[in-house]
Amino acid sequence: MNRYEFELMTFIEKNGEAAYPMRTLSDSLKISGTAISKCLETLVTDGLLDNQDDVLKVTTKGLEALEPYRVKKAVVMAAGSGSRMMPATADRPKPLVTVKGVRILDTLLDAIVAVGIRNVTIVRGYKKEKFDEIVEKYPFIKFIDNDRYDKENNISSAILALDEIDDCYLCESDLYITNPEIIAKYQYVSNFLGSYSLETDDWSFQLDDNGHIINYQKGNTYCWNYYGISYWTKEDSAQLRKDWSELYETNKDVFWEEVPLILRKENYGVEIRQCNKSDIMEIDNYYELAQLDPSYK
């Protein structure tokens, strides 16, 4: 199915059987009413959508058509020490620090589980044995140990997880998720989460005329703030495995995301999946942690 049909199908699948005003569909999907009308006609004719008295429903055939786009795997990078969060990270990795009684990592894993993903791999390093405590809640978790986390950059975690990078989410582990819907059940193209900013001094990117990420850098204007939650298609996953492997041979001080966004950007066409700044809280240091959870003061 084409992109417009995919967006329409996944919107109805997510929100359920209902009568959807054309304005609601157009505003929600950022697609013209004319294009949506054409998509509806095609999808109903093909038996992917049922339209009874303007009530739309994804059919069994429609769910089968969406299945190739359903994300079934996630890889979580969690090897770092989180030194800027000391003393909260003195005895545990940053993802296992609690905010108001909830582990930071749980907010991501709960969102992943909510869309039916059970194939989850965590690359751990600093105080790796502490991650065993999450197995009781998430018994399906698999671990990869990165014992080079303090000697090499995060590309070393990517290299160790090569066999798991295949049509999957690839996520940082230290993001406190306030809106679990940022993890979608279905994906169409490779993308990073981003929120729009007029100006930022943080990591960010802009878009070219084709809607692909360019100018990934620290500090920018009229840009999108970078969040470490991405999705990679099967084709781009294969390209990542190849590019990471080649670059790792000569440079172990690379951040994995620099490869598709800077060093080998010509091999990819990565989009931005828009989110709100309130959907994710990045806790960079102990001061910010104490602002969110007064118990640390």
Side-chain angles (χ1 to χ4, degrees):
M1 66 182 70
N2 65 37
R3 181 66 176 276
Y4 293 172
E5 292 167 351
F6 169 83
E7 298 294 345
L8 182 56
M9 286 281 288
T10 53
F11 180 85
I12 295 172
E13 191 278 336
K14 176 181 177 181
N15 292 282
E17 180 179 353
Y20 295 97
M22 187 60 65
R23 176 55 61 187
T24 297
L25 293 175
S26 182
D27 289 349
S28 299
L29 300 176
K30 311 296 189 293
I31 300 172
S32 71
T34 301
I36 290 175
S37 294
K38 185 179 295 185
C39 286
L40 285 173
E41 182 178 351
T42 299
L43 293 169
V44 171
T45 299
D46 292 345
L48 305 185
L49 279 182
D50 182 60
N51 186 358
Q52 294 292 331
D53 299 322
D54 293 328
V55 174
L56 297 174
K57 175 185 177 182
V58 179
T59 64
T60 300
K61 185 178 179 180
L63 291 174
E64 292 172 353
L66 282 175
E67 187 62 19
Y69 302 98
R70 185 164 68 88
V71 187
K72 303 178 181 68
K73 180 184 289 190
V75 177
V76 181
M77 302 295 197
S81 63
S83 58
R84 288 182 295 176
M85 287 271 281
M86 284 288 187
T89 52
D91 67 339
R92 62 185 50 249
K94 181 180 176 182
L96 300 184
V97 171
T98 61
V99 179
K100 297 181 179 178
V102 178
R103 290 178 299 223
I104 293 173
L105 180 58
D106 285 31
T107 66
L108 173 62
L109 293 180
D110 287 348
I112 289 171
V113 170
V115 295
I117 299 174
R118 294 295 186 276
N119 187 342
V120 182
T121 300
I122 295 178
V123 185
R124 60 185 182 176
Y126 174 71
K127 297 195 178 296
K128 59 187 180 183
E129 69 283 352
K130 288 290 185 177
F131 282 96
D132 292 341
E133 69 185 42
I134 73 172
V135 174
E136 181 177 357
K137 182 177 179 183
Y138 310 102
F140 47 83
I141 292 288
K142 297 178 292 184
F143 293 112
I144 294 175
D145 293 344
N146 181 0
D147 295 324
R148 304 194 295 268
Y149 73 91
D150 58 343
K151 301 177 181 64
E152 301 172 1
N153 232 322
N154 68 7
I155 195 172
S156 63
S157 290
I159 290 295
L160 290 170
L162 279 184
D163 291 341
E164 301 298 329
I165 305 298
D166 185 20
D167 188 13
C168 66
Y169 279 112
L170 181 53
C171 309
E172 294 177 3
S173 60
D174 58 353
L175 301 172
Y176 190 89
I177 309 302
T178 57
N179 178 13
E181 292 190 1
I182 61 172
I183 301 295
K185 183 187 295 186
Y186 303 99
Q187 292 285 357
Y188 197 82
V189 295
S190 298
N191 61 74
F192 274 91
L193 276 181
S195 63
Y196 187 73
S197 290
L198 289 176
E199 185 275 337
T200 183
D201 57 4
D202 211 338
W203 286 99
S204 59
F205 28 57
Q206 296 171 319
L207 295 178
D208 65 15
D209 292 339
N210 295 314
H212 296 152
I213 290 174
I214 57 172
N215 299 335
Y216 175 59
Q217 61 191 49
K218 195 161 190 178
N220 223 324
T221 57
Y222 304 102
C223 59
W224 300 82
N225 278 100
Y226 163 93
Y227 295 111
I229 295 179
S230 59
Y231 164 76
W232 301 91
T233 64
K234 181 172 288 291
E235 294 75 19
D236 284 343
S237 293
Q239 189 66 50
L240 278 175
R241 296 193 299 269
K242 178 178 182 293
D243 288 340
W244 282 339
S245 298
E246 291 177 358
L247 288 168
Y248 184 70
E249 290 296 319
T250 57
N251 188 353
K252 295 175 172 55
D253 198 34
V254 172
F255 289 101
W256 74 258
E257 63 272 17
E258 289 180 318
V259 176
L261 298 183
I262 300 176
L263 301 174
R264 296 284 177 89
K265 62 183 179 181
E266 67 277 5
N267 293 338
Y268 306 87
V270 186
E271 295 187 8
I272 288 172
R273 189 159 58 92
Q274 185 174 357
C275 69
N276 298 316
K277 294 186 185 302
S278 58
D279 292 339
I280 300 174
M281 289 191 291
E282 293 187 283
I283 309 171
D284 289 331
N285 52 57
Y286 192 85
Y287 174 80
E288 291 180 1
L289 175 64
Q291 292 296 305
L292 287 173
D293 186 342
S295 68
Y296 287 99
K297 292 183 179 180

